[in-house]
Coordinates of all heavy atoms in Angstrom, one line a residue:
G1362 N 9.1 -5.5 -7.8 CA 9.2 -7.0 -8.1 C 10.1 -7.7 -7.1 O 9.9 -9.0 -7.0
I1363 N 11.0 -7.1 -6.4 CA 11.9 -7.8 -5.5 C 11.3 -8.0 -4.1 O 12.0 -8.6 -3.3 CB 13.3 -7.1 -5.5 CG1 13.2 -5.8 -4.7 CG2 13.8 -7.0 -6.9 CD1 14.6 -5.2 -4.5
Y1364 N 10.2 -7.4 -3.9 CA 9.6 -7.4 -2.5 C 8.4 -8.3 -2.3 O 7.6 -8.4 -3.2 CB 9.2 -6.0 -2.1 CG 10.4 -5.1 -2.0 CD1 10.7 -4.1 -3.0 CD2 11.3 -5.2 -0.9 CE1 11.8 -3.3 -2.9 CE2 12.4 -4.4 -0.8 CZ 12.7 -3.4 -1.8 OH 13.7 -2.6 -1.8
T1365 N 8.4 -8.9 -1.2 CA 7.2 -9.7 -0.8 C 6.1 -8.7 -0.5 O 6.3 -7.5 -0.1 CB 7.5 -10.4 0.5 OG1 8.4 -11.5 0.3 CG2 6.2 -11.0 1.1
M1366 N 4.9 -9.0 -0.9 CA 3.7 -8.2 -0.7 C 2.7 -8.9 0.1 O 2.6 -10.2 0.0 CB 3.1 -7.7 -2.0 CG 4.0 -6.8 -2.8 SD 4.3 -5.2 -2.0 CE 2.6 -4.5 -2.0
G1367 N 1.9 -8.2 0.8 CA 0.9 -8.9 1.6 C -0.5 -8.2 1.6 O -0.6 -7.0 1.3
W1368 N -1.5 -9.0 1.8 CA -2.8 -8.5 2.1 C -3.3 -8.8 3.5 O -3.0 -9.9 4.0 CB -3.9 -9.1 1.1 CG -3.9 -8.5 -0.3 CD1 -3.3 -9.1 -1.3 CD2 -4.5 -7.3 -0.7 NE1 -3.5 -8.3 -2.5 CE2 -4.2 -7.2 -2.1 CE3 -5.2 -6.3 -0.1 CZ2 -4.6 -6.1 -2.9 CZ3 -5.6 -5.2 -0.8 CH2 -5.4 -5.1 -2.2
Y1369 N -3.8 -7.8 4.2 CA -4.3 -8.0 5.6 C -5.7 -7.5 5.6 O -6.2 -6.7 4.7 CB -3.5 -7.2 6.6 CG -2.1 -7.8 6.8 CD1 -1.1 -7.7 5.9 CD2 -1.8 -8.4 8.1 CE1 0.1 -8.3 6.1 CE2 -0.6 -9.0 8.3 CZ 0.4 -8.9 7.3 OH 1.6 -9.4 7.6
R1370 N -6.5 -7.8 6.6 CA -7.8 -7.3 6.8 C -8.1 -7.0 8.2 O -7.5 -7.6 9.1 CB -8.8 -8.2 6.2 CG -9.1 -9.5 7.0 CD -10.1 -10.4 6.3 NE -10.4 -11.5 7.1 CZ -11.2 -12.5 6.6 NH1 -11.7 -12.4 5.4 NH2 -11.5 -13.5 7.4
Q1371 N -9.0 -6.0 8.4 CA -9.4 -5.7 9.8 C -10.9 -5.5 9.8 O -11.5 -4.6 9.2 CB -8.7 -4.4 10.3 CG -9.0 -4.1 11.7 CD -8.0 -3.1 12.3 OE1 -7.4 -2.4 11.6 NE2 -7.9 -3.1 13.6
A1372 N -11.6 -6.4 10.5 CA -13.0 -6.3 10.7 C -13.3 -5.4 11.9 O -12.5 -5.2 12.8 CB -13.6 -7.7 11.0
P1373 N -14.5 -4.9 12.0 CA -14.9 -4.0 13.1 C -14.7 -4.7 14.4 O -15.2 -5.8 14.6 CB -16.4 -3.7 12.8 CG -16.5 -3.9 11.3 CD -15.6 -5.0 11.0
G1374 N -14.0 -4.0 15.3 CA -13.8 -4.5 16.6 C -12.8 -5.7 16.8 O -12.6 -6.3 17.9
K1375 N -12.1 -5.9 15.6 CA -11.1 -7.0 15.7 C -9.8 -6.5 15.3 O -9.6 -5.4 14.7 CB -11.6 -8.1 14.7 CG -12.8 -8.8 15.1 CD -13.1 -10.0 14.2 CE -14.3 -10.8 14.7 NZ -14.6 -12.0 13.9
Q1376 N -8.7 -7.3 15.6 CA -7.4 -7.0 15.2 C -7.2 -7.2 13.7 O -7.8 -8.1 13.1 CB -6.4 -7.8 16.1 CG -6.3 -7.4 17.5 CD -5.2 -8.1 18.2 OE1 -4.8 -9.2 17.9 NE2 -4.7 -7.5 19.3
R1377 N -6.2 -6.5 13.2 CA -5.8 -6.7 11.8 C -5.2 -8.1 11.7 O -4.4 -8.5 12.5 CB -4.8 -5.6 11.4 CG -4.6 -5.6 9.9 CD -3.8 -4.3 9.5 NE -4.6 -3.1 9.8 CZ -4.2 -1.9 9.4 NH1 -3.1 -1.7 8.7 NH2 -4.9 -0.8 9.8
E1378 N -5.6 -8.8 10.6 CA -5.1 -10.2 10.5 C -4.6 -10.4 9.1 O -5.0 -9.8 8.1 CB -6.2 -11.2 10.8 CG -7.4 -11.1 9.8 CD -8.4 -12.3 10.0 OE1 -8.1 -13.3 10.8 OE2 -9.5 -12.2 9.5
L1379 N -3.6 -11.3 9.0 CA -3.0 -11.7 7.7 C -4.0 -12.4 6.8 O -4.7 -13.3 7.3 CB -1.8 -12.6 7.9 CG -1.2 -13.1 6.6 CD1 -0.5 -12.1 5.8 CD2 -0.2 -14.3 7.0
V1380 N -4.1 -12.0 5.6 CA -4.9 -12.8 4.6 C -4.0 -13.7 3.7 O -4.1 -14.9 3.6 CB -5.7 -11.8 3.7 CG1 -6.4 -12.6 2.6 CG2 -6.6 -11.0 4.5
A1381 N -3.0 -13.0 3.1 CA -2.1 -13.8 2.2 C -0.8 -12.9 1.9 O -0.9 -11.7 2.0 CB -2.8 -14.1 0.9
T1382 N 0.2 -13.6 1.6 CA 1.5 -13.0 1.1 C 1.9 -13.6 -0.1 O 1.6 -14.8 -0.4 CB 2.6 -13.0 2.1 OG1 2.9 -14.4 2.4 CG2 2.1 -12.4 3.5
I1383 N 2.7 -12.9 -0.9 CA 3.3 -13.4 -2.1 C 4.7 -12.9 -2.2 O 5.0 -11.7 -2.1 CB 2.5 -13.1 -3.4 CG1 3.1 -13.8 -4.6 CG2 2.3 -11.6 -3.6 CD1 2.2 -13.7 -5.8
G1384 N 5.7 -13.8 -2.4 CA 7.1 -13.5 -2.5 C 7.5 -13.0 -3.9 O 6.7 -13.0 -4.8
S1385 N 8.7 -12.6 -4.0 CA 9.2 -12.0 -5.3 C 9.2 -13.1 -6.3 O 9.0 -12.8 -7.5 CB 10.6 -11.5 -5.1 OG 11.5 -12.5 -4.6
G1386 N 9.3 -14.4 -5.9 CA 9.3 -15.5 -6.9 C 8.0 -16.0 -7.1 O 7.8 -17.1 -7.8
G1387 N 7.0 -15.4 -6.5 CA 5.6 -15.9 -6.7 C 5.1 -17.0 -5.7 O 4.0 -17.4 -5.7
N1388 N 6.0 -17.3 -4.7 CA 5.5 -18.2 -3.7 C 4.5 -17.5 -2.8 O 4.6 -16.4 -2.4 CB 6.7 -18.7 -2.8 CG 7.5 -17.5 -2.3 OD1 8.1 -16.7 -3.1 ND2 7.7 -17.4 -1.0
T1389 N 3.5 -18.3 -2.4 CA 2.3 -17.7 -1.7 C 2.1 -18.4 -0.3 O 2.5 -19.5 -0.1 CB 1.0 -17.9 -2.5 OG1 0.8 -19.2 -2.8 CG2 1.2 -17.1 -3.8
N1390 N 1.5 -17.6 0.5 CA 1.1 -18.1 1.8 C -0.3 -17.5 2.2 O -0.5 -16.3 1.9 CB 2.2 -17.6 2.9 CG 1.9 -18.1 4.3 OD1 1.7 -19.2 4.5 ND2 1.7 -17.1 5.2
Y1391 N -1.1 -18.4 2.8 CA -2.5 -17.9 3.1 C -2.9 -18.2 4.5 O -2.4 -19.2 5.1 CB -3.5 -18.7 2.2 CG -3.4 -18.3 0.7 CD1 -2.6 -19.1 -0.1 CD2 -4.1 -17.3 0.1 CE1 -2.4 -18.8 -1.4 CE2 -3.9 -17.0 -1.2 CZ -3.1 -17.8 -2.0 OH -3.0 -17.5 -3.3
A1392 N -3.7 -17.4 5.1 CA -4.4 -17.8 6.3 C -5.2 -19.0 6.0 O -5.8 -19.1 5.0 CB -5.3 -16.6 6.8
E1393 N -5.2 -19.9 7.0 CA -5.9 -21.2 6.8 C -7.4 -21.1 6.4 O -7.8 -21.8 5.5 CB -5.8 -22.0 8.1 CG -6.2 -23.5 7.9 CD -5.3 -24.3 7.0 OE1 -4.1 -23.9 6.9 OE2 -5.8 -25.2 6.3
S1394 N -8.1 -20.1 7.0 CA -9.5 -20.0 6.7 C -9.8 -19.4 5.3 O -11.0 -19.4 4.9 CB -10.1 -19.1 7.8 OG -9.7 -17.8 7.7
M1395 N -8.8 -19.0 4.6 CA -9.0 -18.3 3.4 C -8.4 -19.0 2.2 O -8.6 -18.6 1.0 CB -8.5 -16.8 3.5 CG -9.3 -16.0 4.4 SD -8.5 -14.4 4.8 CE -8.2 -14.5 6.6
K1396 N -7.5 -20.0 2.5 CA -6.7 -20.5 1.4 C -7.5 -21.2 0.3 O -7.0 -21.3 -0.8 CB -5.7 -21.4 2.0 CG -6.2 -22.7 2.7 CD -5.1 -23.5 3.4 CE -4.0 -23.9 2.5 NZ -3.0 -24.6 3.3
E1397 N -8.6 -21.7 0.6 CA -9.5 -22.4 -0.4 C -10.3 -21.4 -1.3 O -10.8 -21.8 -2.4 CB -10.4 -23.4 0.2 CG -9.7 -24.5 1.0 CD -8.8 -25.3 0.1 OE1 -9.1 -25.6 -1.1 OE2 -7.7 -25.8 0.6
R1398 N -10.4 -20.2 -0.8 CA -11.3 -19.3 -1.5 C -10.6 -18.0 -2.1 O -11.1 -17.4 -3.0 CB -12.4 -18.7 -0.5 CG -13.2 -19.9 0.1 CD -14.3 -19.3 1.0 NE -13.7 -18.7 2.2 CZ -13.9 -17.4 2.5 NH1 -14.7 -16.7 1.8 NH2 -13.4 -17.0 3.6
F1399 N -9.4 -17.7 -1.6 CA -8.7 -16.5 -2.0 C -7.5 -16.9 -2.8 O -6.8 -17.8 -2.5 CB -8.3 -15.6 -0.8 CG -9.5 -15.0 0.0 CD1 -10.8 -15.3 -0.4 CD2 -9.2 -14.1 1.0 CE1 -11.9 -14.7 0.3 CE2 -10.3 -13.5 1.7 CZ -11.6 -13.8 1.4
T1400 N -7.1 -16.0 -3.7 CA -5.9 -16.2 -4.5 C -5.1 -14.9 -4.6 O -5.7 -13.9 -5.1 CB -6.2 -16.7 -5.9 OG1 -6.9 -18.0 -5.8 CG2 -4.9 -17.0 -6.6
I1401 N -3.9 -14.9 -4.2 CA -3.0 -13.7 -4.3 C -2.2 -13.9 -5.5 O -1.7 -15.0 -5.8 CB -2.2 -13.4 -3.0 CG1 -1.5 -12.1 -3.1 CG2 -1.2 -14.6 -2.8 CD1 -0.8 -11.7 -1.8
S1402 N -2.0 -12.8 -6.3 CA -1.1 -12.8 -7.4 C -0.5 -11.4 -7.6 O -0.8 -10.5 -6.9 CB -1.9 -13.2 -8.7 OG -2.9 -12.3 -8.9
R1403 N 0.5 -11.4 -8.5 CA 1.2 -10.1 -8.7 C 1.5 -10.0 -10.2 O 1.7 -11.0 -10.9 CB 2.4 -10.0 -7.9 CG 3.5 -11.0 -8.2 CD 4.6 -11.0 -7.1 NE 5.2 -9.6 -6.9 CZ 5.8 -9.2 -5.8 NH1 6.0 -10.1 -4.8 NH2 6.4 -8.0 -5.7
D1404 N 1.6 -8.7 -10.7 CA 2.1 -8.3 -12.0 C 3.2 -7.3 -11.8 O 2.9 -6.1 -11.5 CB 0.9 -7.8 -12.8 CG 1.3 -7.5 -14.3 OD1 2.5 -7.3 -14.5 OD2 0.4 -7.4 -15.1
N1405 N 4.4 -7.8 -11.9 CA 5.5 -6.9 -11.6 C 5.7 -5.8 -12.6 O 6.3 -4.8 -12.3 CB 6.8 -7.7 -11.4 CG 6.8 -8.6 -10.2 OD1 6.1 -8.3 -9.2 ND2 7.5 -9.7 -10.2
F1406 N 5.2 -6.0 -13.8 CA 5.3 -5.0 -14.8 C 4.4 -3.8 -14.5 O 4.6 -2.7 -15.0 CB 5.0 -5.6 -16.2 CG 6.0 -6.5 -16.7 CD1 5.8 -7.9 -16.7 CD2 7.2 -6.0 -17.2 CE1 6.8 -8.8 -17.1 CE2 8.2 -6.9 -17.6 CZ 8.0 -8.3 -17.6
K1407 N 3.3 -4.1 -13.8 CA 2.3 -3.1 -13.4 C 2.5 -2.6 -12.0 O 1.7 -1.9 -11.5 CB 0.9 -3.6 -13.6 CG 0.6 -3.9 -15.1 CD -0.9 -4.3 -15.3 CE -1.2 -4.6 -16.7 NZ -2.6 -5.0 -16.8
N1408 N 3.5 -3.2 -11.3 CA 3.7 -2.9 -9.9 C 2.5 -3.1 -9.0 O 2.1 -2.3 -8.2 CB 4.2 -1.4 -9.7 CG 5.6 -1.1 -10.3 OD1 6.3 -2.1 -10.6 ND2 5.9 0.1 -10.3
T1409 N 1.8 -4.2 -9.3 CA 0.4 -4.4 -8.7 C 0.3 -5.8 -8.1 O 0.8 -6.8 -8.8 CB -0.6 -4.1 -9.8 OG1 -0.6 -2.8 -10.3 CG2 -2.0 -4.4 -9.2

């Protein structure tokens, strides 16, 4: 629960890119092209 977590993705033939991050306090950050469609969340009780 005290760590920022992130999702990245890598398409064939492309570099790995940031999708989204979420801080320990729940603050989120998204890649511009995904912010309207993707949602990052966390459940610290489930470490997920």
Side-chain angles (χ1 to χ4, degrees):
I1363 70 172
Y1364 295 104
T1365 293
M1366 295 295 297
W1368 284 99
Y1369 288 73
R1370 72 183 186 184
Q1371 187 166 18
K1375 295 187 176 182
Q1376 290 188 333
R1377 193 170 296 189
E1378 63 175 346
L1379 172 70
V1380 175
T1382 62
I1383 184 165
S1385 58
N1388 51 303
T1389 58
N1390 177 58
Y1391 295 91
E1393 190 64 31
S1394 63
M1395 296 168 239
K1396 64 190 303 181
E1397 300 297 326
R1398 301 182 294 121
F1399 293 5
T1400 302
I1401 189 171
S1402 61
R1403 66 192 300 160
D1404 184 335
N1405 292 335
F1406 292 104
K1407 295 182 178 180
N1408 293 351
T1409 300

